[in-house]
Amino acid sequence: MQKKPLPLKTGDVIAVYAPAGPVDRSRLKCGIARLSAAGFVPEIADDVFAAKGYLAGDDKHRARRFEWALTLPEARAAMAARGGYGTTRLLPLIDWKRFAKRPRLLVGYSDITAILAYVSTRLKIPCIHGPMVAADLAHRFDASALDAFARLAAGKVSSREPWGDAMERLRGASAEGVLAGGCLSVLTSMLSTPYEPDFRGSLLFLEDVNEPAYRLDRMLTQWLQSGRWSKISGIMVGKIAPVRGEKREEIHRLFLEAGKLLSVPVWCGFPAGHEGKNVAIPFGVRARIDAKGRLCLLEPPVSEK
């Protein structure tokens, strides 16, 4: 039986931790100010500015800070400070059974995909692919995206309300399934591990950044040849920016080919991820894309029960 986190309301505590790359002080300060202005109470992990090369401290340090975020009694949510790299290294170090007994809302994107994908598809606990404190809350900030996150986390989005911008149809028509996915390169790194996401029945959201077309092609090919996407219900692509010298149409062609091989609808251009406005979307709950490319969330990711 699915267990949903409690809703996140104004005045609630959000635990802020760093599971991946080192955190920039000025960006964290800016993001914290915006979370506070939105009515939340950020609590920052000790030694959040620790650094060990490209990591925010060694694995044990980051795992301890993540465990703190997962167990802080007063926290209703745990939001990553930033992505980068290193989150997959923490998966074996966390007591997931303890977390599942009292889940709180996990929020982030990019490298945090590793946590979101595992928790939403394997533990069946909804998460939010959404803002990070020292990332999009600090630069390329969009007030409407933060407001959308707050409404989604509070469980105040109607199933009749189109969510985000309408998407461009590449093939097929409407699609319905359990939202899941995230950053394609991170998902691909989880293949054949004990934490590999289970995407059966998923309406699969995919995005990435700074990946040339041939590398996107290679990752999609690996998933297709693995057979792990044989039972998805559709593909929903974020606004992936082409690298220099390439065109967006080339990226679209890759996802169109994947959709043809899987015989599923493909829609592109949802405003979530690394480029532009990052509209929060829930993983682990049912959603539908209608024939006009509008996403509707059929259930909330949170519950008072």
Side-chain angles (χ1 to χ4, degrees):
M1 181 178 179
Q2 186 185 56
K3 188 172 184 179
K4 293 182 177 181
L6 293 169
L8 180 66
K9 302 174 182 177
T10 300
D12 282 342
V13 170
I14 298 178
V16 179
Y17 68 108
V23 179
D24 180 271
R25 289 178 181 271
S26 61
R27 286 190 173 187
L28 185 69
K29 182 179 179 180
C30 182
I32 289 294
R34 284 172 171 152
L35 267 187
S36 299
F40 302 114
V41 181
E43 289 285 345
I44 306 171
D46 291 340
D47 298 325
V48 74
F49 299 114
K52 185 177 181 180
Y54 46 78
L55 299 171
D58 62 28
D59 290 352
K60 288 184 179 180
H61 169 80
R62 298 189 337 278
R64 285 195 299 268
R65 299 285 72 79
F66 186 23
E67 290 274 14
W68 167 84
L70 293 178
T71 57
L72 184 66
E74 60 268 33
R76 283 283 183 96
M79 181 180 289
R82 59 156 295 185
Y85 168 74
T87 307
T88 51
R89 295 171 60 136
L90 304 187
L91 292 172
L93 305 180
I94 303 302
D95 186 348
W96 292 110
K97 289 183 179 180
R98 183 183 181 189
F99 165 71
K101 290 179 181 178
R102 186 182 179 274
R104 68 275 318 278
L105 203 57
L106 301 180
V107 187
Y109 71 105
S110 191
D111 199 58
I112 317 306
T113 288
I115 295 170
L116 305 181
Y118 173 68
V119 169
S120 63
T121 70
R122 293 294 183 178
L123 302 185
K124 305 298 183 183
I125 297 171
C127 308
I128 289 183
H129 181 281
M132 296 192 290
V133 187
D136 50 321
L137 292 186
H139 67 103
R140 68 181 178 91
F141 175 67
D142 187 292
S144 65
L146 179 55
D147 178 66
F149 159 73
R151 291 182 56 227
L152 180 63
K156 294 182 178 179
V157 179
S158 167
S159 60
R160 297 181 296 276
E161 173 186 354
W163 191 246
D165 301 334
M167 293 170 277
E168 176 187 351
R169 181 177 67 87
L170 295 185
R171 77 175 308 272
S174 60
E176 182 176 326
V178 177
L179 274 171
C183 185
L184 177 59
S185 54
V186 177
L187 293 172
T188 305
S189 74
M190 300 173 76
L191 269 167
S192 298
T193 71
Y195 308 97
E196 178 187 319
D198 180 357
F199 288 131
R200 288 175 293 182
S202 293
L203 179 53
L204 189 60
F205 169 76
L206 298 171
E207 65 94 30
D208 220 311
V209 62
N210 296 331
E211 294 288 357
Y214 81 91
R215 290 180 58 170
L216 292 171
D217 187 340
R218 182 167 61 198
M219 291 184 281
L220 290 170
T221 298
Q222 187 171 353
W223 277 103
L224 293 167
Q225 291 181 350
S226 74
R228 302 296 206 277
W229 287 353
S230 62
K231 295 184 179 180
I232 67 170
S233 62
I235 298 174
M236 172 177 148
V237 186
K239 291 186 175 180
I240 303 176
V243 300
R244 186 174 181 179
E246 296 184 350
K247 296 182 178 180
R248 197 178 300 270
E249 290 75 17
E250 192 168 6
I251 295 173
H252 291 178
R253 177 182 58 80
L254 295 174
F255 287 97
L256 172 59
E257 289 177 353
K260 287 179 178 178
L261 289 170
L262 295 166
S263 298
V264 298
V266 181
W267 294 86
C268 69
F270 191 86
H274 289 84
E275 182 185 6
K277 183 166 64 174
N278 185 24
V279 175
I281 50 177
F283 286 168
V285 299
R286 295 197 68 81
R288 186 174 188 273
I289 301 173
D290 68 17
K292 295 183 179 180
R294 298 172 298 193
L295 178 69
C296 289
L297 308 177
L298 302 182
E299 58 176 311
V302 294
S303 174
E304 291 283 5
K305 296 181 179 179

